[in-house]
PDB file of all heavy atoms in Angstrom:
ATOM      1  N   TYR U   1      -2.937  50.150  51.780  1.00  0.00           N
ATOM      2  CA  TYR U   1      -1.822  51.035  52.148  1.00  0.00           C
ATOM      3  C   TYR U   1      -0.879  50.365  53.126  1.00  0.00           C
ATOM      4  O   TYR U   1       0.342  50.342  52.947  1.00  0.00           O
ATOM      5  CB  TYR U   1      -2.387  52.326  52.749  1.00  0.00           C
ATOM      6  CG  TYR U   1      -1.342  53.199  53.375  1.00  0.00           C
ATOM      7  CD1 TYR U   1      -0.594  54.061  52.591  1.00  0.00           C
ATOM      8  CD2 TYR U   1      -1.108  53.148  54.746  1.00  0.00           C
ATOM      9  CE1 TYR U   1       0.368  54.861  53.161  1.00  0.00           C
ATOM     10  CE2 TYR U   1      -0.153  53.954  55.321  1.00  0.00           C
ATOM     11  CZ  TYR U   1       0.575  54.822  54.531  1.00  0.00           C
ATOM     12  OH  TYR U   1       1.511  55.620  55.081  1.00  0.00           O
ATOM     13  N   ARG U   2      -1.432  49.805  54.214  1.00  0.00           N
ATOM     14  CA  ARG U   2      -0.584  49.206  55.240  1.00  0.00           C
ATOM     15  C   ARG U   2       0.201  48.013  54.699  1.00  0.00           C
ATOM     16  O   ARG U   2       1.366  47.772  55.060  1.00  0.00           O
ATOM     17  CB  ARG U   2      -1.433  48.776  56.431  1.00  0.00           C
ATOM     18  CG  ARG U   2      -2.034  49.960  57.185  1.00  0.00           C
ATOM     19  CD  ARG U   2      -2.837  49.484  58.373  1.00  0.00           C
ATOM     20  NE  ARG U   2      -3.368  50.621  59.120  1.00  0.00           N
ATOM     21  CZ  ARG U   2      -4.158  50.507  60.192  1.00  0.00           C
ATOM     22  NH1 ARG U   2      -4.469  49.285  60.637  1.00  0.00           N
ATOM     23  NH2 ARG U   2      -4.592  51.583  60.812  1.00  0.00           N
ATOM     24  N   ARG U   3      -0.412  47.267  53.819  1.00  0.00           N
ATOM     25  CA  ARG U   3       0.276  46.108  53.259  1.00  0.00           C
ATOM     26  C   ARG U   3       1.486  46.538  52.434  1.00  0.00           C
ATOM     27  O   ARG U   3       2.563  45.974  52.519  1.00  0.00           O
ATOM     28  CB  ARG U   3      -0.692  45.293  52.400  1.00  0.00           C
ATOM     29  CG  ARG U   3      -0.090  43.959  51.910  1.00  0.00           C
ATOM     30  CD  ARG U   3      -1.064  43.186  51.045  1.00  0.00           C
ATOM     31  NE  ARG U   3      -2.316  42.930  51.747  1.00  0.00           N
ATOM     32  CZ  ARG U   3      -3.483  43.466  51.377  1.00  0.00           C
ATOM     33  NH1 ARG U   3      -3.528  44.268  50.324  1.00  0.00           N
ATOM     34  NH2 ARG U   3      -4.585  43.203  52.054  1.00  0.00           N
ATOM     35  N   ARG U   4       1.268  47.599  51.609  1.00  0.00           N
ATOM     36  CA  ARG U   4       2.380  48.076  50.784  1.00  0.00           C
ATOM     37  C   ARG U   4       3.487  48.669  51.632  1.00  0.00           C
ATOM     38  O   ARG U   4       4.675  48.494  51.355  1.00  0.00           O
ATOM     39  CB  ARG U   4       1.864  49.128  49.787  1.00  0.00           C
ATOM     40  CG  ARG U   4       1.020  48.532  48.663  1.00  0.00           C
ATOM     41  CD  ARG U   4       0.854  49.524  47.531  1.00  0.00           C
ATOM     42  NE  ARG U   4       0.178  50.740  47.971  1.00  0.00           N
ATOM     43  CZ  ARG U   4      -1.162  50.877  47.976  1.00  0.00           C
ATOM     44  NH1 ARG U   4      -1.927  49.891  47.563  1.00  0.00           N
ATOM     45  NH2 ARG U   4      -1.716  52.006  48.383  1.00  0.00           N
ATOM     46  N   ARG U   5       3.080  49.393  52.676  1.00  0.00           N
ATOM     47  CA  ARG U   5       4.096  49.986  53.541  1.00  0.00           C
ATOM     48  C   ARG U   5       4.937  48.903  54.242  1.00  0.00           C
ATOM     49  O   ARG U   5       6.153  49.014  54.387  1.00  0.00           O
ATOM     50  CB  ARG U   5       3.415  50.874  54.584  1.00  0.00           C
ATOM     51  CG  ARG U   5       4.414  51.707  55.403  1.00  0.00           C
ATOM     52  CD  ARG U   5       3.643  52.673  56.280  1.00  0.00           C
ATOM     53  NE  ARG U   5       4.553  53.465  57.059  1.00  0.00           N
ATOM     54  CZ  ARG U   5       5.127  54.587  56.647  1.00  0.00           C
ATOM     55  NH1 ARG U   5       4.895  55.011  55.420  1.00  0.00           N
ATOM     56  NH2 ARG U   5       5.949  55.269  57.442  1.00  0.00           N
ATOM     57  N   GLY U   6       4.299  47.812  54.683  1.00  0.00           N
ATOM     58  CA  GLY U   6       5.025  46.708  55.305  1.00  0.00           C
ATOM     59  C   GLY U   6       6.006  46.070  54.344  1.00  0.00           C
ATOM     60  O   GLY U   6       7.125  45.709  54.705  1.00  0.00           O
ATOM     61  N   ARG U   7       5.556  45.950  53.071  1.00  0.00           N
ATOM     62  CA  ARG U   7       6.451  45.376  52.073  1.00  0.00           C
ATOM     63  C   ARG U   7       7.676  46.254  51.847  1.00  0.00           C
ATOM     64  O   ARG U   7       8.801  45.759  51.662  1.00  0.00           O
ATOM     65  CB  ARG U   7       5.713  45.168  50.763  1.00  0.00           C
ATOM     66  CG  ARG U   7       4.675  44.045  50.821  1.00  0.00           C
ATOM     67  CD  ARG U   7       3.891  43.997  49.546  1.00  0.00           C
ATOM     68  NE  ARG U   7       2.899  42.909  49.589  1.00  0.00           N
ATOM     69  CZ  ARG U   7       1.935  42.768  48.671  1.00  0.00           C
ATOM     70  NH1 ARG U   7       1.847  43.632  47.664  1.00  0.00           N
ATOM     71  NH2 ARG U   7       1.090  41.759  48.772  1.00  0.00           N
ATOM     72  N   LEU U   8       7.468  47.564  51.850  1.00  0.00           N
ATOM     73  CA  LEU U   8       8.595  48.477  51.691  1.00  0.00           C
ATOM     74  C   LEU U   8       9.602  48.334  52.812  1.00  0.00           C
ATOM     75  O   LEU U   8      10.823  48.326  52.602  1.00  0.00           O
ATOM     76  CB  LEU U   8       8.093  49.919  51.623  1.00  0.00           C
ATOM     77  CG  LEU U   8       7.374  50.315  50.322  1.00  0.00           C
ATOM     78  CD1 LEU U   8       6.768  51.690  50.465  1.00  0.00           C
ATOM     79  CD2 LEU U   8       8.351  50.277  49.148  1.00  0.00           C
ATOM     80  N   ARG U   9       9.094  48.203  54.041  1.00  0.00           N
ATOM     81  CA  ARG U   9       9.990  48.030  55.179  1.00  0.00           C
ATOM     82  C   ARG U   9      10.790  46.726  55.063  1.00  0.00           C
ATOM     83  O   ARG U   9      12.001  46.681  55.312  1.00  0.00           O
ATOM     84  CB  ARG U   9       9.191  48.032  56.484  1.00  0.00           C
ATOM     85  CG  ARG U   9       8.642  49.409  56.840  1.00  0.00           C
ATOM     86  CD  ARG U   9       7.782  49.319  58.072  1.00  0.00           C
ATOM     87  NE  ARG U   9       7.285  50.637  58.458  1.00  0.00           N
ATOM     88  CZ  ARG U   9       6.366  50.832  59.410  1.00  0.00           C
ATOM     89  NH1 ARG U   9       5.866  49.785  60.074  1.00  0.00           N
ATOM     90  NH2 ARG U   9       5.972  52.062  59.713  1.00  0.00           N
ATOM     91  N   ILE U  10      10.130  45.645  54.666  1.00  0.00           N
ATOM     92  CA  ILE U  10      10.816  44.351  54.491  1.00  0.00           C
ATOM     93  C   ILE U  10      11.868  44.445  53.393  1.00  0.00           C
ATOM     94  O   ILE U  10      12.982  43.937  53.514  1.00  0.00           O
ATOM     95  CB  ILE U  10       9.799  43.240  54.182  1.00  0.00           C
ATOM     96  CG1 ILE U  10       8.902  43.004  55.404  1.00  0.00           C
ATOM     97  CG2 ILE U  10      10.512  41.948  53.782  1.00  0.00           C
ATOM     98  CD1 ILE U  10       7.769  42.053  55.147  1.00  0.00           C
ATOM     99  N   GLY U  11      11.520  45.134  52.309  1.00  0.00           N
ATOM    100  CA  GLY U  11      12.464  45.297  51.208  1.00  0.00           C
ATOM    101  C   GLY U  11      13.709  46.034  51.636  1.00  0.00           C
ATOM    102  O   GLY U  11      14.831  45.658  51.280  1.00  0.00           O
ATOM    103  N   ARG U  12      13.493  47.140  52.412  1.00  0.00           N
ATOM    104  CA  ARG U  12      14.667  47.874  52.893  1.00  0.00           C
ATOM    105  C   ARG U  12      15.542  46.992  53.791  1.00  0.00           C
ATOM    106  O   ARG U  12      16.766  47.052  53.734  1.00  0.00           O
ATOM    107  CB  ARG U  12      14.203  49.127  53.664  1.00  0.00           C
ATOM    108  CG  ARG U  12      13.542  50.184  52.786  1.00  0.00           C
ATOM    109  CD  ARG U  12      13.364  51.472  53.574  1.00  0.00           C
ATOM    110  NE  ARG U  12      12.571  52.424  52.821  1.00  0.00           N
ATOM    111  CZ  ARG U  12      11.279  52.685  53.051  1.00  0.00           C
ATOM    112  NH1 ARG U  12      10.642  52.053  54.038  1.00  0.00           N
ATOM    113  NH2 ARG U  12      10.638  53.562  52.323  1.00  0.00           N
ATOM    114  N   LEU U  13      14.891  46.176  54.630  1.00  0.00           N
ATOM    115  CA  LEU U  13      15.635  45.300  55.530  1.00  0.00           C
ATOM    116  C   LEU U  13      16.451  44.271  54.742  1.00  0.00           C
ATOM    117  O   LEU U  13      17.610  44.001  55.052  1.00  0.00           O
ATOM    118  CB  LEU U  13      14.677  44.585  56.489  1.00  0.00           C
ATOM    119  CG  LEU U  13      15.315  43.638  57.522  1.00  0.00           C
ATOM    120  CD1 LEU U  13      16.272  44.428  58.418  1.00  0.00           C
ATOM    121  CD2 LEU U  13      14.247  42.965  58.362  1.00  0.00           C
ATOM    122  N   VAL U  14      15.845  43.706  53.705  1.00  0.00           N
ATOM    123  CA  VAL U  14      16.552  42.738  52.868  1.00  0.00           C
ATOM    124  C   VAL U  14      17.766  43.369  52.209  1.00  0.00           C
ATOM    125  O   VAL U  14      18.859  42.800  52.150  1.00  0.00           O
ATOM    126  CB  VAL U  14      15.610  42.134  51.810  1.00  0.00           C
ATOM    127  CG1 VAL U  14      16.403  41.319  50.778  1.00  0.00           C
ATOM    128  CG2 VAL U  14      14.559  41.260  52.467  1.00  0.00           C
ATOM    129  N   ILE U  15      17.607  44.604  51.712  1.00  0.00           N
ATOM    130  CA  ILE U  15      18.719  45.309  51.063  1.00  0.00           C
ATOM    131  C   ILE U  15      19.857  45.532  52.044  1.00  0.00           C
ATOM    132  O   ILE U  15      21.032  45.333  51.739  1.00  0.00           O
ATOM    133  CB  ILE U  15      18.223  46.645  50.471  1.00  0.00           C
ATOM    134  CG1 ILE U  15      17.289  46.370  49.282  1.00  0.00           C
ATOM    135  CG2 ILE U  15      19.410  47.511  50.034  1.00  0.00           C
ATOM    136  CD1 ILE U  15      16.613  47.601  48.738  1.00  0.00           C
ATOM    137  N   LEU U  16      19.484  45.940  53.285  1.00  0.00           N
ATOM    138  CA  LEU U  16      20.514  46.154  54.302  1.00  0.00           C
ATOM    139  C   LEU U  16      21.259  44.858  54.619  1.00  0.00           C
ATOM    140  O   LEU U  16      22.478  44.842  54.786  1.00  0.00           O
ATOM    141  CB  LEU U  16      19.870  46.726  55.570  1.00  0.00           C
ATOM    142  CG  LEU U  16      19.392  48.180  55.479  1.00  0.00           C
ATOM    143  CD1 LEU U  16      18.639  48.559  56.742  1.00  0.00           C
ATOM    144  CD2 LEU U  16      20.571  49.126  55.272  1.00  0.00           C
ATOM    145  N   ILE U  17      20.505  43.753  54.713  1.00  0.00           N
ATOM    146  CA  ILE U  17      21.134  42.454  54.984  1.00  0.00           C
ATOM    147  C   ILE U  17      22.085  42.066  53.866  1.00  0.00           C
ATOM    148  O   ILE U  17      23.208  41.600  54.100  1.00  0.00           O
ATOM    149  CB  ILE U  17      20.061  41.361  55.191  1.00  0.00           C
ATOM    150  CG1 ILE U  17      19.284  41.623  56.501  1.00  0.00           C
ATOM    151  CG2 ILE U  17      20.697  39.976  55.224  1.00  0.00           C
ATOM    152  CD1 ILE U  17      18.109  40.709  56.711  1.00  0.00           C
ATOM    153  N   LEU U  18      21.646  42.291  52.618  1.00  0.00           N
ATOM    154  CA  LEU U  18      22.496  41.949  51.483  1.00  0.00           C
ATOM    155  C   LEU U  18      23.758  42.800  51.469  1.00  0.00           C
ATOM    156  O   LEU U  18      24.858  42.310  51.170  1.00  0.00           O
ATOM    157  CB  LEU U  18      21.722  42.130  50.170  1.00  0.00           C
ATOM    158  CG  LEU U  18      20.610  41.108  49.917  1.00  0.00           C
ATOM    159  CD1 LEU U  18      19.840  41.473  48.655  1.00  0.00           C
ATOM    160  CD2 LEU U  18      21.183  39.701  49.797  1.00  0.00           C
ATOM    161  N   ILE U  19      23.640  44.070  51.783  1.00  0.00           N
ATOM    162  CA  ILE U  19      24.815  44.942  51.839  1.00  0.00           C
ATOM    163  C   ILE U  19      25.775  44.470  52.914  1.00  0.00           C
ATOM    164  O   ILE U  19      26.995  44.397  52.707  1.00  0.00           O
ATOM    165  CB  ILE U  19      24.382  46.406  52.086  1.00  0.00           C
ATOM    166  CG1 ILE U  19      23.614  46.948  50.861  1.00  0.00           C
ATOM    167  CG2 ILE U  19      25.602  47.284  52.391  1.00  0.00           C
ATOM    168  CD1 ILE U  19      23.001  48.306  51.079  1.00  0.00           C
ATOM    169  N   PHE U  20      25.225  44.122  54.084  1.00  0.00           N
ATOM    170  CA  PHE U  20      26.065  43.641  55.186  1.00  0.00           C
ATOM    171  C   PHE U  20      26.775  42.347  54.798  1.00  0.00           C
ATOM    172  O   PHE U  20      27.959  42.170  55.065  1.00  0.00           O
ATOM    173  CB  PHE U  20      25.197  43.430  56.430  1.00  0.00           C
ATOM    174  CG  PHE U  20      25.966  42.919  57.613  1.00  0.00           C
ATOM    175  CD1 PHE U  20      26.756  43.765  58.367  1.00  0.00           C
ATOM    176  CD2 PHE U  20      25.906  41.571  57.963  1.00  0.00           C
ATOM    177  CE1 PHE U  20      27.475  43.298  59.460  1.00  0.00           C
ATOM    178  CE2 PHE U  20      26.617  41.100  59.050  1.00  0.00           C
ATOM    179  CZ  PHE U  20      27.397  41.960  59.793  1.00  0.00           C
ATOM    180  N   ALA U  21      26.021  41.438  54.157  1.00  0.00           N
ATOM    181  CA  ALA U  21      26.622  40.171  53.733  1.00  0.00           C
ATOM    182  C   ALA U  21      27.740  40.396  52.726  1.00  0.00           C
ATOM    183  O   ALA U  21      28.787  39.738  52.763  1.00  0.00           O
ATOM    184  CB  ALA U  21      25.553  39.248  53.141  1.00  0.00           C
ATOM    185  N   ALA U  22      27.526  41.346  51.805  1.00  0.00           N
ATOM    186  CA  ALA U  22      28.559  41.648  50.814  1.00  0.00           C
ATOM    187  C   ALA U  22      29.819  42.177  51.481  1.00  0.00           C
ATOM    188  O   ALA U  22      30.941  41.850  51.092  1.00  0.00           O
ATOM    189  CB  ALA U  22      28.020  42.660  49.796  1.00  0.00           C
ATOM    190  N   ILE U  23      29.640  42.998  52.518  1.00  0.00           N
ATOM    191  CA  ILE U  23      30.797  43.532  53.240  1.00  0.00           C
ATOM    192  C   ILE U  23      31.563  42.397  53.917  1.00  0.00           C
ATOM    193  O   ILE U  23      32.796  42.332  53.867  1.00  0.00           O
ATOM    194  CB  ILE U  23      30.340  44.583  54.276  1.00  0.00           C
ATOM    195  CG1 ILE U  23      29.794  45.826  53.538  1.00  0.00           C
ATOM    196  CG2 ILE U  23      31.496  44.978  55.189  1.00  0.00           C
ATOM    197  CD1 ILE U  23      29.156  46.835  54.461  1.00  0.00           C
ATOM    198  N   VAL U  24      30.817  41.476  54.566  1.00  0.00           N
ATOM    199  CA  VAL U  24      31.458  40.352  55.246  1.00  0.00           C
ATOM    200  C   VAL U  24      32.224  39.486  54.259  1.00  0.00           C
ATOM    201  O   VAL U  24      33.368  39.089  54.500  1.00  0.00           O
ATOM    202  CB  VAL U  24      30.408  39.515  56.006  1.00  0.00           C
ATOM    203  CG1 VAL U  24      31.033  38.235  56.537  1.00  0.00           C
ATOM    204  CG2 VAL U  24      29.804  40.327  57.144  1.00  0.00           C
ATOM    205  N   VAL U  25      31.590  39.169  53.115  1.00  0.00           N
ATOM    206  CA  VAL U  25      32.258  38.357  52.098  1.00  0.00           C
ATOM    207  C   VAL U  25      33.523  39.046  51.604  1.00  0.00           C
ATOM    208  O   VAL U  25      34.572  38.428  51.411  1.00  0.00           O
ATOM    209  CB  VAL U  25      31.296  38.066  50.921  1.00  0.00           C
ATOM    210  CG1 VAL U  25      32.055  37.439  49.752  1.00  0.00           C
ATOM    211  CG2 VAL U  25      30.175  37.145  51.369  1.00  0.00           C
ATOM    212  N   GLY U  26      33.432  40.362  51.406  1.00  0.00           N
ATOM    213  CA  GLY U  26      34.604  41.112  50.969  1.00  0.00           C
ATOM    214  C   GLY U  26      35.740  41.031  51.964  1.00  0.00           C
ATOM    215  O   GLY U  26      36.906  40.871  51.593  1.00  0.00           O
ATOM    216  N   ILE U  27      35.389  41.132  53.254  1.00  0.00           N
ATOM    217  CA  ILE U  27      36.421  41.035  54.284  1.00  0.00           C
ATOM    218  C   ILE U  27      37.066  39.653  54.275  1.00  0.00           C
ATOM    219  O   ILE U  27      38.289  39.511  54.350  1.00  0.00           O
ATOM    220  CB  ILE U  27      35.819  41.354  55.670  1.00  0.00           C
ATOM    221  CG1 ILE U  27      35.413  42.832  55.745  1.00  0.00           C
ATOM    222  CG2 ILE U  27      36.810  41.025  56.777  1.00  0.00           C
ATOM    223  CD1 ILE U  27      34.650  43.193  56.997  1.00  0.00           C
TER     224      ILE U  27
END
């Protein structure tokens, strides 16, 4: 359980980083 939950948190963080990077590139 804990391993899967950690992976979910990392995945959300990666998605947020990618969204932020896309915004910067767009600017």
Side-chain angles (χ1 to χ4, degrees):
Y1 170 83
R2 293 181 178 177
R3 187 181 303 114
R4 288 195 299 272
R5 189 173 180 86
R7 290 174 179 170
L8 288 172
R9 289 176 178 171
I10 293 173
R12 292 191 188 103
L13 181 61
V14 170
I15 291 173
L16 288 174
I17 292 173
L18 290 175
I19 293 173
F20 179 78
I23 292 172
V24 171
V25 170
I27 292 172

